Amino acid sequence: ESLAIMLSFGARSAIRARPASAVAARSLSTLLVGEHADGKLSEATLSAVTACKSFGDVELLLGGSACKAAAEGACSVAGVSKVTFAESAILDHGVAEEWTPFIVNAQKASGATHVVAASSAFSKSVLPRVSALLDVAMLSDVIDVKDDSTFVRPTYAGNAIATVSSSDAVKVVTVRPTSFEKAPTSGGGATASPSADAPVAVGLCTWLSEEVKKSDRPDLASAKVVVSGGRGLKTGENFAMLDSLADKLNAAVGASRAAVDSGMCPNDMQVGQTGKVVAPDLYIAVGISGAIQHLAGMKDSKTIVAINKDPDAPIFQIADYGLVMDLFEACPELDKKLSK
Amino acid sequence: DISEWAPLQRNMLRVAAAHSHRVNRTFTRDMKVMVGVKRVIDYAVKIRVKPDKSGVETANVKMSMNPFDEIAVEEAVRLKEKKVATEIIAVTVGPTASQEQLRTALAMGADRGVHIVTDAETLPIHVAKLMKAVCEKEMPDVVILGKQAIDDDCNQTGQMLAALMEWPQGAFASELTIKDGSLEVTRETDTGMETLAMKTPAVVTADLRLNEPRYATLPNIMKAKKKKIAKFTPDDLGVEIKPHLKVISVEDPPKREGGAKVESVDELLDKLRNVAKVID
């Protein structure tokens, strides 16, 4: 009943009416920096919404010349209280120097206690800048939230799990999308409004071009099934065997660092400590020995299959099903038997 | 209140304007490159969590230069070999023993070292502030750091330093070219690569694909012993190591019950279809 009265007075008067001790406990709110493509919020951002559920109201911040459709769509995401967007070409391509003042200003305007984003190349590049300007420490790649100031994150390539508590007034956090369920895209009732503060070009850095690999397959970071190849495949051409398996399993294709470094496949396919972190239902490691750095990127997969001719390969220690067999025999046989 | 941040934006524009007349400067004589190196547990060591859960065992464990920092040093040395850079300053923050990693950087080709000596547990925000103080003294044209340290896996320091200096950044660089005093950086993204152009001074963080670091040769290791290392404490630089984070516990990750072998492709498919139920 008292809550209803407080709400009817609005947040400001409710705070004034509280005893001094309650005022000291600042109310929590989150500024969630979202990513979008083709008029839709990214799946990783939906996972980040879930991670924010103990940080008060969630204001989603979107930017870029074509972000309005994504902003309107995001209003129905359960857990989002407000959507603020800036339709500005200055924010296209996620240039860190341009995004930083935009996010810092939004944090100052809202007084958000938490600035959050899903871990990605974009957020890893921008949020540390934001954090430095706010003079706070940052928490990267959080895999669990204990309370509004206590976070769990992997260190040493996932071989030590640290629980850390922050005493900073503002918590700047990136969350690992594979560790949180995606928030439902319906049930929310937020409204989208343009940002009051239009970005002003800083101009320190100019985006020139990009080289994006187009694929019809599911996105590696969010695919339900991943087939990955390593040094054992010997040549880039042999990845065609994995492509064929992937097509039958509706899977994404990944790679170990050894395969990427030897030029067998592009960098964005790399799974591991320094590449992408995946946690699909099924991960099939083909010709991958299982170095610590690779395991860091896939060991939270639900079911792991290893195909390797070396029975002592470390990958077999974590694989649910290990097949000791030459991959050049195993893959075609698997392919044939999946066709049936 | 947005108004209190207007000065920040104005300041950024001022810095951008100040940069603009440096753009045409060509680095023919005096391009200084600063590199950051960190002492970490060697990448090949299987780490052990302390029984009291306070951290990871570092006593009697092989320590090395962070692999990404080796790539940063290598890139700086290549810039000098191409006669683009004229001087390389290697900087480290850490206990007395970190001098070893600084000597490695000098043996790879850095000209002199700066050691900020501290036994405190430093976070990226602290290191960025200390590096900022060094940048203000040395005024490098380009700072190259590794994209992340393999111990804390933070991936923050370079971006934080760039922000504090109000400099542009090229994070996760796989290619770096300097043309007429401006920097072109190709960086690794989630979907491929992108190329950015930025004014100097700038901060670049090295990804794995930037280069293949060299091994220091014995003569160069001997020569490195004669190179100068300047020592400072955080106090000397006017930087306070403020507490931000408290480690509650450090634990082993949950163990996986792996290790089961199957005899054939048929048995594998049977398990996946009928036991794990992950394929149709």
Side-chain angles (χ1 to χ4, degrees):
Chain A
E1 195 185 83
S2 63
L3 180 69
I5 293 166
M6 268 165 43
L7 288 174
S8 71
F9 277 112
R12 204 173 278 270
S13 55
I15 287 168
R16 219 182 288 130
R18 280 183 203 165
S21 60
V23 176
R26 200 146 64 111
S27 63
L28 306 173
S29 68
T30 302
L31 187 69
L32 174 61
V33 182
E35 288 184 67
H36 61 92
D38 308 320
K40 272 174 71 181
L41 205 57
S42 78
E43 296 201 343
T45 303
L46 293 174
S47 297
V49 171
T50 304
C52 293
K53 68 175 179 241
S54 51
F55 311 149
D57 287 347
V58 175
E59 175 183 353
L60 178 69
L61 190 68
L62 293 173
S65 48
C67 68
K68 199 176 174 187
E72 282 164 355
C75 290
S76 59
V77 173
V80 174
S81 339
K82 189 180 168 187
V83 180
T84 303
F85 64 96
E87 273 199 298
S88 166
I90 293 168
L91 300 177
D92 284 344
H93 311 301
V95 175
E97 293 78 355
E98 304 297 354
W99 271 86
T100 303
F102 177 57
I103 297 168
V104 170
N105 287 343
Q107 189 280 328
K108 292 287 161 188
S110 69
T113 53
H114 292 70
V115 178
V116 183
S119 293
S120 68
F122 164 72
S123 68
K124 284 175 185 174
S125 162
V126 179
L127 283 209
R129 277 187 92 98
V130 171
S131 186
L133 295 187
L134 297 174
D135 195 18
V136 300
M138 180 182 154
L139 293 130
S140 297
D141 228 9
V142 160
I143 55 170
D144 195 10
V145 174
K146 294 287 180 199
D147 60 48
D148 62 272
S149 58
T150 314
F151 308 89
V152 182
R153 57 177 303 268
T155 58
Y156 292 92
N159 289 297
I161 307 295
T163 304
V164 183
S165 115
S166 163
S167 56
D168 284 322
V170 181
K171 279 83 173 163
V172 179
V173 181
T174 54
V175 298
R176 182 177 283 188
T178 53
S179 299
F180 299 91
E181 294 293 326
K182 286 188 271 289
T185 51
S186 62
T191 46
S193 49
S195 165
D197 176 40
V200 180
V202 173
L204 284 173
C205 182
T206 313
W207 183 91
L208 295 181
S209 62
E210 69 185 347
E211 231 179 277
V212 172
K213 198 186 67 173
K214 280 278 167 215
S215 166
D216 297 332
R217 294 211 187 89
D219 175 48
L220 179 56
S222 55
K224 291 237 180 293
V225 181
V226 173
V227 184
S228 273
R231 205 197 300 271
L233 274 119
K234 295 196 172 84
T235 69
E237 287 71 51
N238 290 333
F239 265 78
M241 289 193 305
L242 303 194
D243 289 338
S244 176
L245 282 178
D247 286 337
K248 290 188 176 124
L249 294 164
N250 189 30
V253 179
S256 70
R257 181 187 157 190
V260 172
D261 277 358
S262 59
M264 287 153 70
C265 41
N267 307 339
D268 53 284
M269 281 170 66
Q270 188 188 327
V271 172
Q273 183 185 22
T274 61
K276 292 198 172 80
V277 177
V278 301
D281 293 342
L282 174 60
Y283 188 90
I284 306 178
V286 181
I288 292 176
S289 64
I292 293 171
Q293 290 78 9
H294 184 75
L295 303 185
M298 47 65 83
K299 66 181 179 176
D300 293 326
S301 305
K302 287 200 184 78
T303 301
I304 297 173
V305 170
I307 300 172
N308 204 306
K309 66 179 175 193
D310 173 10
D312 299 322
I315 191 89
F316 286 123
Q317 291 163 25
I318 65 152
D320 300 284
Y321 305 109
L323 178 61
V324 182
M325 190 171 172
D326 188 330
L327 69 92
F328 294 101
E329 287 169 33
C331 287
E333 190 183 338
L334 198 54
D335 193 292
K336 204 173 84 196
K337 287 177 173 160
L338 277 169
S339 318
K340 282 184 195 166
Chain B
D1 182 7
I2 300 172
S3 66
E4 68 172 286
W5 281 85
L8 170 79
Q9 269 198 353
R10 263 204 306 280
N11 196 26
M12 286 186 140
L13 293 173
R14 184 183 54 74
V15 170
H19 275 286
S20 64
H21 64 259
R22 297 191 60 169
V23 176
N24 295 324
R25 194 179 127 194
T26 47
F27 292 113
T28 48
R29 308 205 69 77
D30 61 339
M31 183 188 159
K32 239 191 223 187
V33 180
M34 196 167 110
V35 291
V37 300
K38 184 179 183 184
R39 176 181 172 87
V40 297
I41 294 181
D42 189 86
Y43 78 95
V45 170
K46 188 163 173 18
I47 60 123
R48 278 186 305 121
V49 169
K50 288 182 185 168
D52 68 357
K53 296 184 178 179
S54 64
V56 165
E57 196 59 73
T58 52
N60 303 315
V61 171
K62 187 186 176 200
M63 306 294 282
S64 297
M65 190 194 295
N66 180 42
F68 290 98
D69 303 347
E70 287 182 359
I71 297 169
V73 175
E74 175 67 30
E75 195 64 18
V77 174
R78 288 185 190 189
L79 287 174
K80 196 173 170 194
E81 287 170 345
K82 283 186 226 157
K83 307 220 181 299
V84 179
T86 45
E87 189 184 27
I88 304 166
I89 307 155
V91 184
T92 196
V93 176
T96 312
S98 309
Q99 195 181 306
E100 226 178 283
Q101 279 64 45
L102 215 42
R103 289 282 172 210
T104 307
L106 297 175
M108 285 174 76
D111 297 294
R112 59 190 171 91
V114 174
H115 185 176
I116 301 156
V117 188
T118 175
D119 289 322
E121 286 280 336
T122 49
L123 297 166
I125 184 84
H126 301 131
V127 176
K129 285 179 180 177
L130 293 163
M131 299 274 294
K132 175 183 186 239
V134 179
C135 281
E136 283 165 349
K137 276 179 195 284
E138 298 284 355
M139 287 310 288
D141 298 282
V142 179
V143 179
I144 313 178
L145 306 182
K147 82 160 179 180
Q148 77 192 66
I150 59 163
D151 52 1
D152 62 26
D153 282 334
C154 279
N155 194 333
Q156 300 168 4
T157 308
Q159 298 88 310
M160 286 181 162
L161 173 64
L164 295 176
M165 294 303 291
E166 300 172 31
W167 287 353
Q169 66 180 46
F172 330 143
S174 57
E175 205 182 326
L176 184 163
T177 33
I178 294 175
K179 289 184 196 159
D180 304 326
S182 83
L183 193 61
E184 243 182 61
V185 175
T186 298
R187 56 186 300 265
E188 301 197 5
T189 66
D190 292 334
T191 50
M193 314 267 227
E194 66 178 16
T195 304
L196 305 169
M198 61 197 73
K199 295 153 186 173
T200 59
V203 178
V204 174
T205 73
D207 214 319
L208 280 170
R209 254 70 58 176
L210 187 58
N211 59 50
E212 185 100 28
R214 72 194 63 194
Y215 288 103
T217 59
L218 189 59
N220 286 343
I221 293 169
M222 299 312 286
K223 265 188 252 170
K225 291 188 177 172
K226 294 204 180 73
K227 291 182 180 175
K228 287 201 170 63
I229 293 178
K231 289 184 184 176
F232 301 99
T233 64
D235 268 353
D236 297 337
L237 300 172
V239 176
E240 191 200 343
I241 310 292
K242 275 198 304 197
H244 292 269
L245 303 178
K246 193 175 141 209
V247 175
I248 310 285
S249 69
V250 176
E251 292 173 59
D252 285 313
K255 285 254 181 299
R256 275 196 84 98
E257 293 291 329
K261 299 253 169 76
V262 290
E263 293 302 319
S264 64
V265 168
D266 287 321
E267 190 188 342
L268 176 62
L269 283 171
D270 174 61
K271 297 275 192 202
L272 293 179
R273 284 189 178 118
N274 305 317
V275 183
K277 296 190 181 6
V278 281
I279 60 171
D280 297 326

